[in-house]
Amino acid sequence: MTNSYASRGLRESATFDRATINDIQRAATTGIYDIRGWGAKRALPHFDDLLFLGASVSRYPLEGYREKCGTDVTLGGRHALKPITLDIPITIAGMSFGALSANAKEALGRGATEAGTSTTTGDGGMTPEERGQSRHLVYQYLPSRYGMNPDDLRKADAIEIVLGQGAKPGGGGMLLGQKITERVAGMRTLPVGIDQRSACRHPDWTGPDDLAIKIAELREITDWHTPIYVKVGASRPYYDTALAVKSGADVVVLDGMQGGTAATQQVFIENVGIPILAAIGPAVAALQELGVHRQVQLIVSGGIRNGADVAKAIALGADAVSIGTAALIALGDNDPRYQAEYEALGSSAGFYDDFQDGKDPAGISTQDPILAARLDPIAGGKRIANYLRVLTLEAQTIARACGKSHLHHLEPEDLVALTVEAAAMAGVPLAGTSWIPGR
Amino acid sequence: MTLTQAPVHIETVDLAVSTVRELNQALHATDDGTSWVVDTPAGQHNIAVGIDRDLDLVVNGHVGYYFAGMHQKGRVTVHGSAGVGLAENIMSGTVHVTGDASQAAAATGQGGLVIIDGNTGARCGISMKGVDIVVGGDIGHASAFMAQAGRLVVCGDAGEGLGDSIYEARIYVKGTVASLGADCVEKPLRPEHLAELAELLTLAGRTDAPTDFRRYGSARTLYHFAAVNAAAY
């Protein structure tokens, strides 16, 4: 297509490309900014810019299918009396009932449970379907406190205090009126059908000193049983991680700018925060300097797609990863079989990101009962479990090739970078050299 | 024959001797109907959080952050003042502070009644979701910010930005309001409002006349995103 334009002597502006022109025209027509789902879509330095150094003479590999490569991870042992142990270091990220259908939430719970990992609530409280189908359920504690209650807090296997997310560090949530059904509104104590705005700051604390008291309060309410995570959107990962540790967190969750959202201003998604590749190193450095690396676990997210991404994140120092967008795709999001319906919505399979509209043909990001019924939570759970297994097997394949008997034995020395940018951000040498820019 | 009531046993905990952890553990494990007195709180944080028992608790002295946080049952009284986040996210029951309360009193409260005889700091009733709050004195700025449901009664004055971005909560103020926040407006005080106000004042042990108050609530103009409202955000 591009070539045909070129052959006709037509030149597209790199600055004002067709998407940009469309953005300007849309803004001029509507007078309001664009809100959409998904995460950053711009090209960013990512895990694709890293490669593993498989074993050869200097290191020897482990035998695939014969020699064990462990995948388990224990989270929350720093202070909690009941840390949780997962079979695999790949968790399901927080996504709200409201943003997602009840069937989608149930499917995520079923799949996570089958694969031996955890799933997470979201900005809308805990549903019985999700709790019932999730062996390990992380309960998010958000600024809005929608549906927050101590009974659910005590039912949770871990509590995640959310300070931000990668798609919008510093921003609050939104859920547009078409998804505020009677059930969603009831759980959030809001009028049906309004455009809901969630706060960006917690209502009863500001700063790390207060956070330490807040964490202590949640521990007191749960009699110190429950692990407490602190989730931040990646922007200043070194300081945020250090302050979370100082405040008493058991686990730090770090979400890069590729991390998904159900509804955020596009300008926010694409221009605030940093890629997860650039965020892991500073976070790990903070943990190491405080002497708590691997004692305070680090979960990273934002653009995890395959087992190589899992292995690379862990090699850089993470203890586990979280998936959100990839999990929705595994459930059926952007499935080509709904192409005609995506076209009718002005989109296309592979491009659909209007999660805010509640018209998702795949029945995932919707509260429409007819659309939601398209997603069978049992079949969806199987798909999630399958996908999680593939991620795990792929990560194990790479770890064995690097001679590691556990995923957590992967280390930065197993990695090189393909680009100068990735080498600098990840803190690993440019391939074929010993050069780490900035060191 | 004369019936005499059995003496009520009162558990006394001195926080100069016991820890907050020991007290909270005991309050979580106790039976309904028990009575407790806590001495020497000394402004410690997280005292009496997560109570889910129908008990009576009296604290003699000042308490720190999050006193009676996520309170679910029973009646709690502080003879003193309270720090940040008094009774945050209270579900039901009653929390009464005879002195002042700091910022974010009854923040996100989902139900129950919080009575503060003195003044409160900023953000009183922020994101309240059904709690009733009665303040004998003044409240600080940004109170009832994004207040979703419940009633906030202020017998003194209210600070700037009252009820900014308010949803369906109802606010009654006897004194002056420094300024109203976005989308918060004065509304008529109809008989049903006078009745609920009278009931709340009685519950709080106050003698103020309901007719001396003015009512504030949402104009509901910001319930949907619209370019014309850009200046309001």
Side-chain angles (χ1 to χ4, degrees):
Chain A
M1 197 71 167
T2 303
N3 285 340
S4 71
Y5 286 120
S7 65
R8 292 160 54 200
L10 302 176
R11 184 187 298 272
E12 182 171 25
S13 167
T15 304
F16 290 92
D17 61 10
R18 276 165 285 180
T20 304
I21 290 170
N22 182 267
D23 285 344
I24 294 170
Q25 291 169 339
R26 193 207 58 76
T29 302
T30 65
I32 192 93
Y33 44 51
D34 188 24
I35 295 171
R36 66 167 174 84
W38 204 274
K41 289 189 164 183
R42 64 195 293 168
L44 292 164
H46 198 40
F47 294 121
D48 290 337
D49 300 317
L50 302 181
L51 293 173
F52 279 101
L53 301 175
S56 54
V57 178
S58 60
R59 300 187 181 201
Y60 60 89
L62 298 187
E63 202 68 65
Y65 304 106
R66 293 188 178 82
E67 292 184 290
K68 186 170 177 57
C69 178
T71 61
D72 62 296
V73 62
T74 297
L75 303 164
R78 182 189 187 199
H79 293 304
L81 295 172
K82 293 183 179 175
I84 58 176
T85 296
L86 307 178
D87 295 339
I88 60 172
I90 309 158
T91 66
I92 305 294
M95 292 174 275
S96 75
F97 166 68
L100 302 189
S101 67
N103 280 358
K105 290 297 285 177
E106 181 180 338
L108 293 171
R110 285 177 178 275
T113 298
E114 186 177 331
T117 189
S118 63
T119 187
T120 310
T121 65
D123 196 4
M126 180 188 290
T127 65
E129 296 97 317
E130 186 174 32
R131 175 63 279 186
Q133 298 303 330
S134 306
R135 183 173 166 217
H136 301 292
L137 182 60
V138 182
Y139 187 35
Q140 286 196 326
Y141 188 77
L142 291 123
S144 70
R145 311 278 167 88
Y146 292 139
M148 172 53 57
N149 70 80
D151 291 330
D152 286 346
L153 201 70
R154 295 187 194 97
K155 284 182 205 162
D157 300 295
I159 299 163
E160 183 172 290
I161 300 175
V162 179
L163 278 68
Q165 66 183 93
K168 47 180 167 182
M174 58 172 71
L175 193 66
L176 300 190
Q178 46 272 51
K179 295 172 83 170
I180 308 283
T181 62
E182 201 165 326
R183 185 181 180 196
V184 172
M187 286 180 69
R188 301 182 186 218
T189 324
L190 288 170
V192 174
I194 67 158
D195 290 337
Q196 168 244 293
R197 305 149 285 166
S198 300
C200 65
R201 296 194 303 271
H202 281 262
D204 55 353
W205 64 271
T206 47
D209 295 330
D210 285 5
L211 176 57
I213 304 170
K214 174 54 69 177
I215 288 175
E217 183 204 8
L218 297 175
R219 291 201 192 281
E220 285 293 325
I221 291 170
T222 57
D223 290 325
W224 288 72
H225 289 152
T226 313
I228 296 184
Y229 304 179
V230 170
K231 177 176 179 176
V232 294
S235 54
R236 297 178 181 86
Y238 175 84
Y239 295 106
D240 289 341
T241 301
L243 291 171
V245 171
K246 182 260 179 192
S247 300
D250 293 312
V251 175
V252 176
V253 182
L254 183 63
D255 189 24
M257 71 181 290
Q258 303 97 321
T261 173
T264 300
Q265 301 92 334
Q266 171 157 271
V267 71
F268 207 148
I269 299 172
E270 297 288 358
N271 294 284
V272 183
I274 63 173
I276 193 61
L277 186 71
I280 299 175
V284 171
L287 295 171
Q288 289 171 334
E289 287 174 25
L290 292 167
V292 294
H293 188 219
R294 305 295 187 202
Q295 294 170 38
V296 172
Q297 287 75 39
L298 177 67
I299 302 176
V300 304
S301 54
I304 301 288
R305 304 151 299 175
N306 52 49
D309 292 346
V310 175
K312 289 169 184 174
I314 291 174
L316 290 174
D319 295 274
V321 301
S322 252
I323 57 169
T325 302
L328 300 189
I329 294 168
L331 277 182
D333 173 55
N334 273 288
D335 191 322
R337 69 179 159 143
Y338 297 118
Q339 178 62 24
E341 291 177 68
Y342 288 129
E343 294 275 359
L345 294 170
S347 187
S348 185
F351 294 83
Y352 182 70
D353 58 16
D354 289 324
F355 300 163
Q356 77 286 350
D357 282 345
K359 297 174 182 172
D360 185 354
I364 298 168
S365 60
T366 183
Q367 296 300 318
D368 181 317
I370 295 171
L371 293 173
R374 293 180 177 182
L375 180 67
D376 176 352
I378 296 173
K382 287 285 178 198
R383 294 179 63 83
I384 292 291
N386 281 342
Y387 176 57
L388 288 167
R389 285 193 197 98
V390 170
L391 292 181
T392 307
L393 287 166
E394 288 178 343
Q396 285 175 303
T397 298
I398 288 171
R400 285 195 186 93
C402 294
K404 313 298 188 188
S405 61
H406 196 287
L407 291 182
H408 288 148
H409 296 172
L410 288 163
E411 53 196 329
E413 288 72 16
D414 293 314
L415 292 168
V416 292
L418 284 169
T419 67
V420 174
E421 290 83 356
M425 290 181 184
V428 301
L430 190 66
T433 78
S434 58
W435 180 44
I436 303 176
R439 301 234 180 134
Chain B
M1 195 172 107
T2 305
L3 286 174
T4 55
Q5 197 168 5
V8 176
H9 176 66
I10 298 175
E11 296 279 352
T12 301
V13 178
D14 187 345
L15 286 178
V17 178
S18 302
T19 64
V20 171
R21 176 82 285 268
E22 289 166 342
L23 170 65
N24 288 337
Q25 187 74 60
L27 292 173
H28 296 170
T30 192
D31 296 322
D32 288 346
T34 55
S35 295
W36 296 72
V37 170
V38 174
D39 293 323
T40 333
Q44 291 189 79
H45 306 311
N46 300 324
I47 294 172
V49 297
I51 293 179
D52 191 20
R53 297 289 187 272
D54 189 10
L55 51 69
D56 285 283
L57 171 70
V58 173
V59 179
N60 295 311
H62 306 310
V63 294
Y65 278 47
Y66 309 134
F67 175 82
M70 297 208 190
H71 185 72
Q72 280 178 283
K73 287 182 186 168
R75 294 149 298 282
V76 177
T77 304
V78 176
H79 292 295
S81 292
V84 171
L86 166 73
E88 65 88 11
N89 212 83
I90 180 174
M91 304 299 293
S92 61
T94 304
V95 174
H96 180 189
V97 172
T98 62
D100 299 324
S102 184
Q103 302 179 72
T108 78
Q110 315 256 351
L113 174 64
V114 177
I115 304 164
I116 300 145
D117 292 343
N119 306 309
T120 78
R123 298 178 237 159
C124 177
I126 184 172
S127 289
M128 56 193 283
K129 295 171 170 57
V131 66
D132 292 324
I133 308 168
V134 181
V135 181
D138 304 334
I139 60 171
H141 68 268
S143 288
F145 175 63
M146 294 180 82
Q148 296 172 225
R151 285 89 52 99
L152 169 61
V153 179
V154 184
C155 300
D157 302 331
E160 293 182 344
L162 177 70
D164 193 288
S165 302
I166 188 171
Y167 292 99
E168 294 297 307
R170 294 192 288 281
I171 305 172
Y172 300 97
V173 182
K174 185 177 175 184
T176 61
V177 174
S179 65
L180 295 172
D183 211 30
C184 186
V185 293
E186 183 172 355
K187 294 188 162 188
L189 200 60
R190 295 193 296 266
E192 66 266 32
H193 303 119
L194 289 168
E196 74 171 8
L197 183 52
E199 184 184 359
L200 289 167
L201 289 166
T202 301
L203 284 171
R206 301 198 62 84
T207 56
D208 309 77
T211 49
D212 290 343
F213 287 74
R214 298 167 85 168
R215 181 169 77 97
Y216 303 90
S218 178
R220 303 188 179 98
T221 60
L222 299 182
Y223 276 14
H224 297 277
F225 288 113
V228 293
N229 290 331
Y233 295 113

